[in-house]
């Protein structure tokens, strides 16, 4: 009997999705946490099976077939569903997929939290780049600047304002907590620019200011070449996102600025096609952005002859920004509870210590809101992975 029971648990664990824990929204129900009600006027918002990165479903968002444009997608105000997550982290990650043979010149998103009448509509400053080309990309939503709602107020929404320069088609899944435990530190600009330079380009200067890299551009597209950090190749081979804090010191007159990246190594010029938005309107602000590079060519091994990070900055007119704390966000390894890249005793102990807990915790490896046998087995199955 006992043997049969464990086999069942084993099979269950084996077939569980490769789930990053701490999922806020997985878009599994037909109402899509309320977002489905945002359809209309040619916009389609529905449960789909494309771009699924957690569970069985994603949320499809289709722009009207003949036009681009902007639309708010409003969630259903389920405060108790949302608030406990935001109390842990106000930085969120969201997987966004563009199907094959789709592309647009530009696409982005704004995010707001709101409450009932009389309570402020709080929109986070800064646009978030949405993927323009086919494939799945993870975007970072930084809500650190927004206050959390009064816990006595029932109504609380997380609203997504999506925008594109043409008819577009996106699939959203796995809105989840960002974990600082998953960061690998690459560039902190403690003493200098760590190799970043402008080459022979005109119209841009780079200076080291108070432990940050200051970029003053006259506008247009400029590369910041050759950022060099210890173990950069090993880090980028284990991650998906380059994350950094960006301060808009002086906003571009045309109100837009964005950034791309490449990894330069013996494997070639590994440029990714994701474009992060860094500026918005006439606003000056600081926030964390992420550049998904999973489509870029990566260094062939952990210790190539050279490996550098290049950032491409583009803006509608003169813009000054400061960049700091560039880190690589580690790709999830199933069973790696503490996100140090290795499934070992420490992860096992985390699950054992929290066994029975129904809290939002990384020890809930399969993300079903209880720490139990299934989580323990997922750690055991993957024991030694990444070490
Ligand atoms: Ca899902
Ligand atoms: Ca670990
Ligand atoms: Ca669990």
């Amino acid at each position: 009997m006992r043997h049969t029971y464990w086999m069942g648990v084993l099979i269950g664990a084996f077939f569980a999705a490769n789930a990053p824990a701490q999922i806020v929204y997985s878009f599994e129900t037909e109402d899509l946490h309320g977002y489905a009600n945002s359809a209309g006027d040619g916009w389609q918002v529905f449960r789909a099976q494309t771009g699924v990165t957690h569970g069985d479903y994603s949320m499809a968002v289709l722009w009207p077939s003949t036009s681009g444009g902007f639309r708010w997608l409003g969630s259903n105000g389920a405060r108790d569903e949302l608030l406990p997550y935001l109390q842990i982290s106000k930085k969120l990650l969201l997987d966004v997929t563009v199907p094959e043979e789709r592309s647009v010149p530009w696409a982005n998103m704004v995010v707001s939290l709101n409450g009932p009448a009389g309570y402020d509509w709080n929109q986070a400053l800064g646009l978030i780049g949405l993927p323009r080309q086919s494939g799945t990309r993870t975007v970072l939503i930084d809500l650190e600047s927004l206050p959390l709602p009064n816990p006595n107020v029932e109504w609380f929404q997380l609203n997504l304002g999506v925008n594109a320069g043409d008819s577009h088609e996106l699939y959203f899944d796995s809105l989840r907590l960002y974990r600082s435990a998953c960061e690998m530190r690459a560039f902190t600009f403690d003493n200098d620019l760590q190799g970043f330079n402008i080459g022979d380009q005109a119209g841009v200067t780079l200076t080291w200011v108070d432990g940050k890299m200051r970029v003053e551009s006259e506008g247009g597209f400029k590369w910041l070449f050759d950022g060099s950090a210890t173990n950069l190749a090993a880090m980028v081979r284990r991650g998906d996102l380059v994350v950094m804090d960006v301060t808009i010191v002086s906003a571009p007159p045309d109100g837009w600025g964005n950034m791309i990246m490449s990894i330069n190594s013996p494997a070639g010029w590994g440029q990714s096609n994701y474009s992060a938005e860094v500026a918005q309107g006439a606003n000056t602000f600081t926030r964390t952005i992420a550049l998904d590079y999973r489509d870029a060519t990566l260094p062939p091994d952990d210790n190539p002859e050279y490996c550098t990070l290049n950032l491409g900055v583009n803006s509608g007119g003169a813009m000054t920004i400061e960049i700091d704390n560039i880190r690589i966000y580690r790709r999830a390894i199933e069973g790696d509870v503490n996100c140090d890249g290795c499934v070992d005793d420490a992860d096992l102990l985390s699950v054992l210590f929290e066994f029975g807990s129904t809290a939002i915790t990384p020890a809930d490896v399969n993300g079903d809101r209880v720490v139990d046998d299934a989580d323990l087995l997922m750690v055991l199955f993957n024991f030694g992975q990444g070490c």
Side-chain angles (χ1 to χ4, degrees):
M1 276 310 285
R2 186 179 171 80
H3 182 73
T4 309
Y5 167 76
W6 281 103
M7 277 306 288
V9 174
L10 283 164
I11 289 164
F14 196 72
F15 286 104
N18 186 7
Q22 303 175 293
I23 300 271
V24 181
Y25 287 159
S26 180
F27 309 103
E28 295 297 294
T29 56
E30 259 184 69
D31 82 323
L32 300 169
H33 313 285
Y35 294 116
N37 293 331
S38 311
D41 307 321
W43 287 78
Q44 298 176 60
V45 181
F46 58 92
R47 196 171 65 161
Q49 290 181 289
T50 300
V52 175
T53 59
H54 178 260
D56 297 320
Y57 298 99
S58 64
M59 173 171 75
V61 179
L62 273 65
W63 274 247
S65 59
T66 55
S67 70
F70 178 84
R71 191 172 189 87
W72 277 110
L73 309 182
S75 70
N76 58 9
R79 183 201 59 184
D80 296 340
E81 189 179 349
L82 186 60
L83 194 53
Y85 292 92
L86 296 180
Q87 285 167 336
I88 295 171
S89 173
K90 287 159 83 179
K91 287 192 187 78
L92 305 174
L93 297 173
L94 175 65
D95 294 333
V96 189
T97 298
V98 178
E100 290 297 318
E101 295 176 16
R102 273 278 186 183
S103 68
V104 289
W106 59 268
N108 55 43
M109 179 168 76
V110 287
V111 177
S112 76
L113 301 176
N114 80 332
Y119 201 77
D120 290 343
W121 172 285
N122 294 310
Q123 184 173 319
L125 271 181
L127 300 164
I128 297 153
L130 289 173
R132 308 164 179 196
Q133 322 235 12
S134 66
T136 298
R137 304 285 178 268
T138 299
V139 304
L140 192 157
I141 299 169
D142 182 351
L143 301 174
E144 300 282 359
S145 63
L146 300 184
L148 287 178
N150 182 331
N152 298 318
V153 174
E154 259 317 306
W155 188 257
F156 181 46
Q157 294 183 321
L158 174 69
N159 301 320
L160 309 174
V162 294
N163 204 7
D166 203 344
S167 179
H168 203 24
E169 178 178 352
L170 295 172
Y171 297 84
F172 297 83
D173 203 3
S174 304
L175 180 70
R176 60 194 184 274
L177 301 184
Y178 179 95
R179 296 183 58 199
S180 51
C182 301
E183 296 173 343
M184 294 175 278
R185 180 183 291 188
F187 299 86
T188 51
F189 304 106
D190 290 342
N191 303 301
D192 57 30
L193 293 173
Q194 294 186 255
F196 279 105
N197 68 86
I198 56 166
D200 58 4
Q201 297 167 106
V204 59
T205 60
L206 267 191
T207 45
W208 181 78
V209 180
D210 296 335
K212 296 178 176 183
M213 176 165 68
R214 174 176 283 216
V215 187
E216 289 175 83
S217 170
E218 290 177 7
F221 184 86
K222 311 290 179 193
W223 275 113
L224 316 178
F225 295 109
D226 293 334
S228 174
T230 308
N231 299 326
L232 182 62
M235 286 190 271
V236 297
R237 282 159 50 84
R238 287 163 178 74
D240 282 328
L241 302 174
V242 166
V243 177
M244 69 190 83
D245 301 327
V246 176
T247 300
I248 307 298
V249 177
S250 171
D254 282 2
W256 64 270
N258 53 45
M259 192 188 289
I260 59 170
M261 58 161 280
S262 80
I263 297 158
N264 202 11
S265 78
W269 179 264
Q271 187 170 324
S272 63
N273 68 27
Y274 176 77
S275 178
E277 304 284 351
V278 296
Q280 183 187 15
N283 301 300
T284 55
F285 56 95
T286 299
R287 65 164 177 161
T288 304
I289 66 159
L291 293 154
D292 187 312
Y293 62 85
R294 77 186 80 176
D295 63 317
T297 305
L298 296 181
D301 58 65
D302 286 358
N303 299 294
E305 212 171 305
Y306 66 95
C307 176
T308 66
L309 176 67
N310 309 288
L311 301 175
V313 177
N314 199 8
S315 61
M319 173 175 82
T320 300
I321 62 175
E322 286 176 353
I323 296 170
D324 197 11
N325 194 18
I326 302 178
R327 57 270 200 198
I328 314 296
Y329 194 83
R330 196 187 299 281
R331 192 180 307 126
I333 297 174
E334 196 165 76
D336 182 14
V337 177
N338 62 2
C339 208
D340 66 350
C342 164
V343 183
D344 65 8
D345 300 344
D347 305 302
L348 201 57
L349 284 172
S350 295
V351 173
L352 290 173
F353 276 134
E354 296 188 57
F355 209 83
S357 171
T358 54
I360 298 165
T361 166
D364 175 18
V365 179
N366 63 359
D368 67 352
R369 286 300 294 273
V370 59
V371 180
D372 63 11
D373 301 342
D375 304 302
L376 194 61
L377 283 169
M378 284 170 83
V379 173
L380 289 173
F381 266 141
N382 291 290
F383 208 84
Q385 287 287 323
C387 302

